[in-house]
Amino acid sequence: MTEHTLTVAGVAVDTRHWIGGRRVASAETFTDVSPIDGSVIGEISRGTALEAAAAVAAAKAAFPAWAATSRAERARILHAVADGVEKRIEELSIVETTDNGALLRSHRRGVMPRVAHNFRFFADWLLKLEHEDFETRGHTNHVSWDPAGPSVLITPWNAPLMLATWKVAPALAAGNTVVLKPAEWSPLTASLLADIAAEAGLPAGVFNVVQGYGSEIGDALTSHPDVRRISFTGSVPTARRIAESAAGNLTPLSLELGGKSPLLVFADADLDVAVDLAVEQYDNAGQVCLAATRFLVEESVAEEFTRRFVEKAATLTQGDPRHETTDIGPNIHPRQLEKIDAFVQRALAAGARAVVGGHRKDIQYYAPTLLTDVAQDSEIVQEEVFGPVLTLQTFSTEEEAVRLANDTRFGLAATLATADAERAERVTAQLVAGTVWVNCFFVRDLQAPFGGSRHSGVGREGGTWSFDFYCDVKNTVTAPNGWKNHG
Ligand code: NAD
């Protein structure tokens, strides 16, 4: 324990950066606050361009040896990281809940096991990563994935460790070295991951963590000429700034951004399934990029759907995310709550009707909300709120449903409730979305491509797509024995 150690719900967390295999403090700090009750958790090292440069230098120095490490050895170490995560599921869960306010039971049962799985999956995928050789006039084409270099990974607060490791694991598996910049509202589990990675035997400098405000440290990371890849999850305005900053070096970018995804409920759907899917959209207090926040319901069943939704929403318990019976926790920050409420109040002033909620509960908690009587071109239908705020509109034909579904600048996901398989196929083919779920939601396999269309993102990660992004993909053409080029 040092003066730089915090005890968070009984767990020791180092508040300093992790650079080149050692802890580094900044001159300045920022205050980390718990969304559960607004209490101060502690002071965290606040990175500047200096620490950004040091972290990239450490990642650059460690790169040649890590890139030359055999696939089998890289995979072995990633499995050891997964072991370390599994051993500390309880600690990671309570620290994450304290830091970002998401449900403790979800962290224990779903999120942290999935963090470990991120490492295991990409370790195993690395071992079977190959493209069958092919021939061109007797010449052999061989495809290989070469490590690209230091990678900067920038992540948001809504699912901190899960989203971070979804990038860290494939980047390390690919043979790249990493500088992770967690969100300033939830930096703690990234620090714990540094401890776990070191214990697992990841060499110094292969994995680095720098903390701080994106506005202060971001440019120094994303404009650095030694950085070979940038993967970012967050908001559209930040993505624009990162793209501008990366443009000088033409650093390849992967951008996973916001959404305004639809849930289409057709009259032939099993309404119980549809209502279950709809209520699920309040998960994580609505702070889910993939959330289907726009309900589009066929007119003939809209009344019945709404009645059942209201009934079901009334059974949800909102409160302390550490309690086993809580369904909806707090929002991340009073500032976020203000933003959410401003969206709702502007929508109500414009003529929307709150069928459920429509107001804040206190400074940290927003009442789950469903708004009807909203116009397609209104702000509440077009802009991402990132809180427990949903809208409901009706349609009378399949064409209208598709038109409304596609009529935003986003294209992250879409969810369909229908009993008609042909309709599902027809509608899916017309939707602009990186992921479509039919009669289900949030089923995610790590080998599937993941990403968004339009302003929801650039590129795809997942399975081989992750290696395509983090690597320099090379094709080697070899002439047959004794072959002479006669022009
Ligand atoms: P944000 O864009 O404000 O911040 C995300 C990260 O970017 C933080 O670490 C922040 O410090 C950093 N950052 C800020 N300015 C920067 C700069 N100039 N240069 C470099 N980094 C900078 O987003 P947020 O509020 O933390 O997250 C919410 C957003 O993330 C929502 O729009 C949500 O939809 C999106 N999101 C998308 C996905 C996805 O997979 N598509 C997943 C989760 C969240």
Side-chain angles (χ1 to χ4, degrees):
M1 297 281 251
T2 70
E3 57 173 314
H4 299 289
T5 309
L6 287 176
T7 304
V8 183
V11 182
V13 185
D14 201 302
T15 60
R16 293 169 292 180
H17 314 284
W18 175 251
I19 299 174
R22 58 188 195 92
R23 291 288 174 180
V24 176
S26 288
E28 305 274 318
T29 60
F30 65 92
T31 306
D32 189 25
V33 171
S34 175
I36 299 177
D37 53 10
S39 61
V40 170
I41 299 174
E43 294 295 317
I44 310 293
S45 269
R46 176 171 173 171
T48 64
L50 264 181
E51 289 86 359
V56 174
K60 185 182 179 188
F63 175 67
W66 182 245
T69 301
S70 71
R71 283 185 177 200
E73 178 62 4
R74 292 204 301 258
R76 189 191 64 73
I77 295 178
L78 292 186
H79 275 293
V81 175
D83 293 342
V85 169
E86 278 166 0
K87 261 192 237 136
R88 299 185 74 173
I89 280 185
E90 237 353 86
E91 295 178 20
L92 291 165
S93 297
I94 187 64
V95 170
E96 194 86 295
T97 292
T98 308
D99 209 11
N100 92 330
L103 299 188
L104 181 58
R105 64 180 158 90
S106 309
H107 283 149
R108 276 185 182 139
R109 287 177 213 148
V111 175
M112 295 307 164
R114 161 69 190 276
V115 165
H117 181 58
N118 281 341
F119 286 99
R120 294 204 192 287
F121 172 85
F122 284 105
D124 292 343
W125 201 261
L126 169 69
L127 296 180
K128 59 184 181 197
L129 184 66
E130 62 175 358
H131 190 294
E132 211 175 307
D133 288 354
F134 52 99
E135 266 192 31
T136 308
R137 296 190 304 277
H139 299 58
T140 306
N141 290 258
H142 177 73
V143 175
S144 54
W145 285 262
D146 294 352
S151 303
V152 163
L153 312 177
I154 301 175
T155 49
W157 44 262
N158 61 319
L161 195 59
M162 210 260 278
L163 291 170
T165 53
W166 147 257
K167 299 179 189 302
V168 171
L172 294 178
N176 293 355
T177 51
V178 163
V179 178
L180 170 65
K181 211 300 276 166
E184 53 270 32
W185 280 347
S186 58
L188 300 182
T189 48
S191 179
L192 293 178
L193 182 64
D195 296 339
I196 292 170
E199 283 161 22
L202 209 60
V206 171
F207 175 61
N208 306 276
V209 179
V210 288
Q211 302 153 158
Y213 293 107
S215 55
E216 295 177 356
I217 196 173
D219 270 357
L221 291 171
T222 54
S223 66
H224 200 297
D226 291 334
V227 169
R228 295 283 175 263
R229 292 293 184 276
I230 299 168
S231 179
F232 169 74
T233 300
S235 65
V236 175
T238 307
R240 278 203 193 94
R241 279 197 291 275
I242 290 176
E244 279 167 19
S245 170
N249 302 309
L250 291 178
T251 311
L253 287 172
S254 170
L255 303 174
E256 298 180 346
L257 312 178
K260 194 72 189 178
S261 302
L263 164 64
L264 294 95
V265 179
F266 290 93
D268 58 37
D270 178 331
L271 275 198
D272 288 337
V273 171
V275 168
D276 282 351
L277 292 173
V279 171
E280 222 180 313
Q281 308 309 322
Y282 288 135
D283 274 8
N284 209 14
Q287 302 166 138
V288 177
C289 58
L290 294 160
T293 49
R294 294 185 295 134
F295 298 168
L296 303 174
V297 184
E298 192 156 353
E299 221 155 60
S300 57
V301 293
E303 210 180 306
E304 178 64 8
F305 171 87
T306 308
R307 190 185 62 73
R308 291 204 217 173
F309 177 86
V310 171
E311 242 175 59
K312 185 118 195 171
T315 66
L316 297 174
T317 309
Q318 188 168 25
D320 191 319
R322 293 166 295 195
H323 296 169
E324 190 66 17
T325 51
T326 299
D327 300 302
I328 304 178
N331 287 100
I332 184 75
H333 196 279
R335 255 200 347 257
Q336 182 72 9
L337 219 93
E338 265 166 38
K339 216 176 103 191
I340 295 167
D341 195 45
F343 268 116
V344 172
Q345 298 317 317
R346 285 193 296 272
L348 293 173
R353 197 161 59 85
V355 186
V356 180
H359 53 86
R360 50 170 82 208
K361 285 200 149 169
D362 62 26
I363 191 170
Q364 291 287 165
Y365 292 77
Y366 203 83
T369 295
L370 177 68
L371 302 173
T372 60
D373 300 340
V374 291
Q376 179 61 23
D377 62 355
S378 64
E379 179 192 56
I380 199 73
V381 170
Q382 294 292 328
E383 297 300 326
E384 184 185 48
V385 176
F386 224 53
V389 178
L390 311 168
T391 59
L392 187 148
Q393 298 164 271
T394 60
F395 64 84
S396 46
T397 64
E398 195 176 291
E399 293 68 36
E400 189 186 8
V402 170
R403 184 174 57 73
L404 293 173
N406 284 339
D407 182 25
T408 75
R409 68 192 164 104
F410 296 103
L412 191 55
T415 302
L416 266 67
T418 176
D420 181 342
E422 281 175 21
R423 185 205 295 279
E425 203 176 313
R426 215 168 39 235
V427 170
T428 298
Q430 298 172 74
L431 291 174
V432 181
T435 302
V436 177
W437 283 291
V438 180
N439 297 320
C440 60
F441 180 66
F442 224 82
V443 180
R444 279 197 59 202
D445 193 309
L446 294 184
Q447 65 185 302
F450 178 80
S453 304
R454 297 178 177 162
H455 283 198
S456 288
V458 173
R460 296 291 181 269
E461 294 189 44
T464 301
W465 285 275
S466 291
F467 288 94
D468 288 347
F469 172 70
Y470 288 109
C471 292
D472 288 326
V473 182
K474 179 186 282 169
N475 186 41
T476 305
V477 185
T478 306
N481 273 344
W483 185 84
K484 296 227 175 4
N485 188 353
H486 298 298

